[in-house]
Amino acid sequence: MTLSEKLYDLLAKQLPCDKGFVALHEPCFAGHEWDYVKECLDTGWVSSVGKYVDQFENDLAEYTGVTKAVACVNGTAALSVALRLVGVQQGDEVLVPALTFIATTNAIAYQGAIPHFVDSEYQSLAVCVNKLESHLKDITEMRDGFCFNKQSGRRIAALVVVHVFGHPAKDIEDLVSLCQKYNIKLVEDAAESLGSFYKGKHTGHFGSVAATSFNGNKILTTGGGGALLTNDPELGKLAKHLTTTAKVPHAWRFNHDMLGYNYRLPNINAALGVAQLEQLPKFLEQKKRLFEAYKQLFAGCDEFELLGPVDGAESNHWLNAIILKPEFTNEFELILNEVNQKGFMLRPLWTLMHHMPMYSDCPRMDLSVAQDLEKRTINIPSSAFLGG
């Protein structure tokens, strides 16, 4: 039996084989989505003003426990504004994992900053704090209280930590301490981790500000959308101002006091989000059951290892991932091709950022772990309904 056949047979024990094709992640609309969206259509409140925008922001803040949530048109916009909020300026460098979706890196470039790629660790696929600390010790110096790259002469202004596939980043508290030591702002890319906690704190509580996403493939969707999360009241107020075109309140005049962005989430999308957030506990239960079922399926498997949350973490299990053992790396592409053709959607990791032509010349540290993971990581079907 080939590895492709073995993986297909394992997945077939959990996944419906009569569906024709099992997608990687599908949304589920089983609550009040139709009612809330219809209300927007019936009343005409479909654009960026309406009660559902306020309700969605309040509900998000209450669920995650942050002081302020600001809904945005998408997660990339939210992350871009997050970087501006923490003071990233044109010409600065921002530390970011090479192992991430391109939106993370694009958000840095939108601010005129330069991505500086760092390596990952094997347990949560997040930033490796030990390698990063050694790297900063070797290549940086402090000037007037700020961290500078001695090789490029540029300020290192921020670190973006990504909670990959919904798993809270390993050693996030140590990363907080490291950033404090070097006066580097910590921003969380929590695009995939709504419903994920580390030591009782929801992701988004560890950095100055965080960004999450509600794209159609996320655990909760508004169709397209995202949000900024922060515990700093002043940053929250500024985030709302910047994302609503920096308009100064007035009865009828259009006055704007700084460069702002039209990043407002439409009311009709927020209505969808309110209905989805009501069902989030159910989605999380289903996803936990699916993960546990996969955990049993792959227990004792000599060829694949299921990625799970680290100690102290409670994951939303957005996407389940298996890691092919190193000795089988040469079968990676064949597995992807054959199992996809048989009807179970598999996807590899994102192409590493330094392989992208527009980012190939950016500064980077040794990326050996990320490069290894890129060749061996496979996402498997993870829709909530698959957990029963």
Side-chain angles (χ1 to χ4, degrees):
M1 178 182 290
T2 66
L3 273 189
S4 298
E5 292 170 336
K6 181 170 184 177
L7 179 56
Y8 178 84
D9 287 348
L10 282 170
L11 294 175
K13 293 178 181 179
Q14 175 64 30
L15 305 178
C17 300
D18 58 348
K19 196 179 178 188
F21 186 79
V22 180
L24 192 66
H25 198 285
E26 297 181 54
C28 177
F29 304 116
H32 294 104
E33 289 90 351
W34 284 100
D35 297 331
Y36 297 166
V37 171
K38 185 176 185 300
E39 181 183 340
C40 294
L41 297 173
D42 289 342
T43 61
W45 292 99
V46 298
S47 192
S48 56
V49 177
K51 74 173 188 179
Y52 283 112
V53 175
D54 294 336
Q55 184 177 344
F56 188 45
E57 291 180 338
N58 291 335
D59 290 350
L60 278 172
E62 181 179 0
Y63 177 81
T64 59
V66 299
T67 300
K68 181 68 174 176
V70 177
C72 298
V73 68
N74 56 54
T76 310
L79 186 57
S80 179
V81 173
L83 292 165
R84 178 173 169 183
L85 288 171
V86 299
V88 172
Q89 300 176 5
Q90 184 171 352
D92 284 339
E93 290 182 13
V94 175
L95 302 167
V96 61
L99 194 165
T100 188
F101 181 56
I102 197 165
T104 313
T105 308
N106 285 347
I108 296 168
Y110 295 161
Q111 295 302 311
I114 294 91
H116 184 139
F117 297 120
V118 300
D119 205 11
S120 301
E121 45 76 24
Y122 283 107
Q123 287 186 272
S124 69
L125 312 192
V127 174
C128 179
V129 65
N130 292 329
K131 289 188 72 171
L132 178 58
E133 185 169 20
S134 296
H135 183 61
L136 291 176
K137 184 178 179 180
D138 289 342
I139 65 113
T140 67
E141 62 182 7
M142 302 300 292
R143 298 184 212 157
D144 300 322
F146 292 99
C147 180
F148 282 82
N149 183 341
K150 292 186 293 186
Q151 299 170 352
S152 67
R154 294 185 289 254
R155 181 176 73 128
I156 298 179
L159 165 67
V160 179
V161 173
V162 182
H163 301 293
V164 181
F165 304 147
H167 299 307
K170 182 177 180 289
D171 300 320
I172 184 67
E173 293 171 321
D174 291 335
L175 286 167
V176 171
S177 298
L178 184 62
C179 286
Q180 291 172 342
K181 177 181 179 181
Y182 284 90
N183 193 17
I184 294 171
K185 298 295 184 181
L186 179 64
V187 173
E188 293 177 72
D189 184 341
E192 304 163 2
S193 63
L194 185 69
S196 297
F197 296 79
Y198 183 73
K199 294 184 178 179
K201 291 183 179 180
H202 195 281
T203 54
H205 279 269
F206 300 93
S208 301
V209 64
T212 190
S213 171
F214 312 119
N215 190 31
N217 66 346
K218 296 300 188 291
I219 189 169
L220 176 159
T221 184
T222 57
L228 287 144
L229 307 175
T230 184
N231 285 314
D232 186 321
E234 291 303 313
L235 284 185
K237 183 178 179 181
L238 180 57
K240 187 69 173 180
H241 187 58
L242 287 173
T243 57
T244 52
T245 66
K247 186 176 184 294
V248 178
H250 191 277
W252 59 81
R253 297 201 181 278
F254 295 89
N255 296 322
H256 307 261
D257 60 0
M258 62 177 67
L259 175 65
Y261 308 91
N262 188 8
Y263 286 169
R264 299 169 291 185
L265 183 71
N267 193 52
I268 194 168
N269 296 88
L272 190 63
V274 169
Q276 288 270 285
L277 192 55
E278 291 173 349
Q279 300 168 82
L280 183 57
K282 175 185 175 183
F283 296 158
L284 291 170
E285 289 176 7
Q286 291 175 311
K287 284 182 156 292
K288 180 69 177 296
R289 287 198 295 268
L290 180 60
F291 171 75
E292 292 297 335
Y294 278 146
K295 190 175 180 180
Q296 290 187 10
L297 282 177
F298 290 100
C301 183
D302 294 329
E303 300 88 359
F304 307 99
E305 180 181 358
L306 180 69
L307 183 72
V310 298
D311 291 343
E314 181 181 345
S315 176
N316 68 3
H317 300 290
W318 172 56
L319 285 186
N320 289 292
I322 54 175
I323 314 296
L324 189 64
K325 297 294 179 66
E327 58 266 34
F328 303 110
T329 303
N330 61 335
E331 299 193 49
F332 182 72
E333 292 294 335
L334 186 63
I335 292 170
L336 288 170
N337 288 331
E338 292 189 350
V339 178
N340 271 288
Q341 289 174 7
K342 289 182 178 181
F344 293 152
M345 188 174 184
L346 306 183
R347 286 293 182 267
L349 271 178
W350 312 285
T351 300
L352 298 183
M353 293 299 100
H354 66 295
H355 293 156
M356 303 292 179
M358 58 284 201
Y359 299 127
S360 60
D361 294 329
C362 291
R364 61 178 183 264
M365 64 185 293
D366 170 75
L367 301 173
S368 54
V369 173
Q371 290 171 334
D372 180 41
L373 287 166
E374 183 186 28
K375 297 182 291 186
R376 299 194 289 120
T377 307
I378 299 173
N379 287 124
I380 57 180
S382 301
S383 301
F385 72 88
L386 296 173

